[in-house]
Amino acid sequence: VEKLVCDSLPRVVGPVERVGIDSCLGDQMRDAPPSSSRRIPPAEAITSWMVDIGAGTSLQHRGYKAPGGFMRATCEWQDDRIAKAFLSGDFFCFPPGALFQLEQNLVGVKADQVSSKLEQIYGRIGLVTPGIHAEHWAKVLAPAHKSDAKAL
């Protein structure tokens, strides 16, 4: 790998001078735990926070680690319905623009209908998210119970 990088990098960025690693950096690298021991959220992990704005309105953010990647949803809930939804994460989504369509189609959906509505939306807009299915979005979009969410 080192040879490949040393041979290829100058063609991309110009001349490269090879230098050694200083002792301080070398000590840090040697003392660092192996990469497999880093804290990675386990599959099925849900992180969330919720803010009760008042007058039947709350703002909620949830993150969820699904098999196909990490998903995030920030929703404004008003009178037990999604008023606005902002979806993002680290996953593949096809066709282009489908995530925006999903957000738009969720507006007005009641909390107890999110799961069934997601199935309908997936089929209607031809949404493809490898490793992420409607039931995963249902988990990240479900209204958090006050005991589950970290209140701000």
Side-chain angles (χ1 to χ4, degrees), residues 1-146:
V1 173
E2 182 180 345
K3 181 174 178 5
L4 179 63
V5 170
C6 290
D7 291 346
S8 302
L9 196 58
R11 288 187 292 229
V12 177
V13 298
V16 177
E17 179 184 343
R18 189 174 179 153
V19 296
I21 297 175
D22 69 28
S23 63
C24 181
L25 180 58
D27 292 344
Q28 290 176 358
M29 291 171 58
R30 188 175 39 262
D31 296 339
S35 60
S36 62
S37 68
R38 290 187 191 137
R39 175 77 171 101
I40 299 171
E44 303 293 317
I46 296 177
T47 60
S48 64
W49 56 258
M50 181 171 58
V51 178
D52 186 9
I53 298 171
T57 302
S58 62
L59 185 63
Q60 171 183 298
H61 178 85
R62 293 187 104 183
Y64 178 71
K65 175 67 175 82
F70 188 75
M71 310 159 59
R72 284 183 291 281
T74 302
C75 292
E76 179 184 327
W77 289 90
Q78 192 162 35
D79 298 324
D80 206 33
R81 293 182 181 271
I82 296 175
K84 293 179 186 168
F86 302 98
L87 309 176
S88 63
D90 184 16
F91 55 88
F92 292 100
C93 180
F94 305 99
L99 198 60
F100 177 73
Q101 290 178 20
L102 179 58
E103 291 173 343
Q104 297 302 305
N105 280 276
L106 287 168
V107 172
V109 174
K110 290 187 71 167
D112 61 353
Q113 298 174 341
V114 169
S115 186
S116 61
K117 190 70 170 177
L118 282 163
E119 292 286 347
Q120 294 172 9
I121 296 169
Y122 254 73
R124 187 172 62 245
I125 65 177
L127 181 60
V128 177
T129 49
I132 294 177
H133 307 288
E135 62 265 19
H136 297 123
W137 282 115
K139 288 180 183 181
V140 79
L141 287 164
H145 300 288
K146 292 190 191 293

